[in-house]
Structure formats: C-alpha cells, structure tokens
Amino acid sequence: MGDMTVSIPPRVLTVAGSDSGGGAGIQADLKTMLALGVHGMSVIAAVTAQNSLGVQGYWELPPEAVRAQLDSVLGDIGAQAVKTGMLASPALVETVAGALASYPAPVIVDPVGVSKHGDTLLAPEAVETLRTRLLPVATVVTPNLWEVEQLTSVKVEDEDGLRRAADAVLELGPTWALIKGGHLPGRPVDLLTDGTAEYRFTADRLDNRHTHGTGCTLASAIASHLALGDDVPVAVGKAKEYVTGAIARGFPLGEGIGPVDHAWQWRP
C-alpha cells in the first residue's frame, strides 16, 4: 500500500474533447483541477485541431474507445465528481450517459453546443440525445443562453427570463441548472436553481476578449469543489470566483482569442 501518511486528493474525471491550443476542453479541465487541488483524470471523446482563430477540424473517438476509458478510470480509481464537455454525436452522448447513469458521484454537464468562435460542436441529432439521456443524469447543468435555446427553445432577452430558462432546463431532469447570463446586456448575472432555492451570482464585466475556455473551466471548477466536499451553491460560488480571476488575467495568444489564465492564483 505504500506510505499511509500520504494524503490522497479527491479525484475528478473530465469526459470531453481535446483542445490542441491548450485553452479549453480536456486541457482547461486538467489545469483547473490542478489549480484547485484535486487529481484530474480524463476520458478523451474527440480530438480537435484548434488555435486562437477557431476550430480547424475535429475527429471523434469511437464509442468503444470512450467506453473503455470510462471503465478503466471508474473501475479502478473512481471519482468524487465527473464533468462532461464536448460530446459531439448521439453515440458518444449515449455511451457516456450509460456509463454515468448508475455511478454514485455528482455529474456536471457542460452542454457544449458552440465554441467561442461560433463553431458548432454538437450535431443537431445529438441535441435530442443530450436532452433525453445525459441531462437526467446531471447534478448540475451549465448552459449559456445559446445552449438554453438549443436545448429548450426558450430565448432569454433579459435577466427576468433567466428563471423561465432554468425551469425549462430543469424539466429535462437535472437536479440543478446554472444558467449563464453573460451574453445579456448590463452586468453579467448567472442564475442557479434546483426549482426551489434560487441563487444569483453577479460579477463585473471584464474588458478582456481572452475568454477561450471559460465554460470548460467553470464546469471543472464546480466539479472540483463538489469533490472537495462543498454543496452545489457553495461550489458554484467558489468556481465563479476562480473563473472571474482567470478571465481578468486572460492573455493574448496567436492572432485571435486567447485563453483565461488557469494559474492566476500562483502568479506574482
């Protein structure tokens, strides 16, 4: 067994796509997990060729490769929380939902529909599978307003519409919905609700376009804090603080949109 005095950090698994540019996807997830003190593990569902200018291509892994990775990690090591990201096809959504349905850890679903550059990352036929198979397994689902519309057809025009959007998302079966209102005019507000309790998180709008990877980072930060023992509202609050700091220090890379700084707390 080795030295029993070694403390073992909680384990968090991300199931998502790889981002060759290192700012989003699996890479953002693992950096976030390291920054927040948990052991990150990964199931790669797709490989993308992408950089600061956009996504130049993506290749899905076969469902059996995704299933094998899930079985390897969950069967031997286990996880205190699981985060899902880019799952582009119905077969991949189905595979992941099937593996997680009976697994006892909280599941954070980031229903990735479009990239920061407007690239579609979810096949239209996968939206239905996401709604009917993966969302019912979710402890928390974290859609932005585009993704809310994709999932529920509810279009949010202002802060008053956030609760309506959340209720429509909750009808699909997750325990909590975190509706990210960052694309609304005015001060950004996110709404978290389980249908009863309601929490609003506001942050200053930062004048920084280097925001590649914010959605992945937020969902991974929530998963990390849940694994560390926080309840959902506390985990979301802490995750928001981490992401806000990371956006504030986002930096330019290449010719386009740069990443947030996952290591902002460590830099002088």
Side-chain angles (χ1 to χ4, degrees):
M1 288 295 287
D3 183 359
M4 294 308 288
T5 58
V6 173
S7 77
I8 299 167
R11 283 95 65 202
V12 181
L13 173 64
T14 168
V15 185
S18 163
D19 169 11
S20 55
I26 291 278
Q27 287 77 1
D29 297 335
L30 294 175
K31 291 174 189 182
T32 299
M33 291 167 192
L34 180 67
L36 297 178
V38 299
H39 173 69
M41 305 171 295
S42 60
V43 167
I44 297 176
V47 174
T48 69
Q50 64 177 297
N51 53 27
S52 72
L53 298 173
V55 179
Q56 288 80 41
Y58 77 76
W59 297 266
E60 286 167 33
L61 267 77
E64 57 272 25
V66 172
R67 183 75 212 212
Q69 292 175 79
L70 282 160
D71 291 345
S72 292
V73 174
L74 296 177
D76 173 52
I77 302 171
Q80 276 68 59
V82 181
K83 175 252 160 161
T84 71
M86 175 186 169
L87 302 172
S89 68
L92 290 182
V93 176
E94 191 76 52
T95 300
V96 172
L100 297 181
S102 58
Y103 196 74
V107 176
I108 313 306
V109 173
D110 183 16
V112 179
V114 276
S115 78
K116 272 286 178 298
H117 299 89
D119 304 295
T120 299
L121 300 176
L122 188 67
E125 61 274 19
V127 176
E128 191 52 31
T129 321
L130 188 68
R131 294 177 60 199
T132 57
R133 297 284 286 118
L134 191 57
L135 290 197
V137 172
T139 309
V140 188
V141 59
T142 62
N144 63 29
L145 299 180
W146 307 111
E147 290 154 356
V148 166
E149 200 177 333
Q150 202 176 27
L151 291 167
T152 67
S153 303
V154 172
K155 195 169 173 58
V156 179
E157 307 284 356
D158 52 34
E159 200 188 320
D160 296 338
L162 290 174
R163 182 59 196 251
R164 200 163 40 92
D167 288 338
V169 170
L170 288 174
E171 275 178 31
L172 300 173
T175 311
W176 292 86
L178 177 65
I179 310 298
K180 300 183 290 193
H183 291 106
L184 291 175
R187 208 157 183 243
V189 177
D190 294 352
L191 172 72
L192 173 70
T193 181
D194 61 356
T196 310
E198 186 179 300
Y199 303 84
R200 283 171 194 260
F201 300 90
T202 58
D204 290 327
R205 188 173 293 284
L206 298 164
D207 182 22
N208 184 353
R209 69 194 196 94
H210 301 300
T211 54
H212 184 57
T214 45
C216 309
T217 300
L218 179 67
S220 291
I222 295 169
S224 298
H225 283 298
L226 289 175
L228 287 162
D230 290 321
D231 65 19
V232 170
V234 171
V236 170
K238 289 181 180 176
K240 285 282 298 175
E241 284 173 29
Y242 171 71
V243 172
T244 299
I247 294 171
R249 302 185 199 194
F251 48 85
L253 285 186
E255 300 296 314
I257 299 174
V260 302
D261 185 2
H262 293 99
W264 68 273
Q265 294 152 307
W266 303 338
R267 298 200 199 278

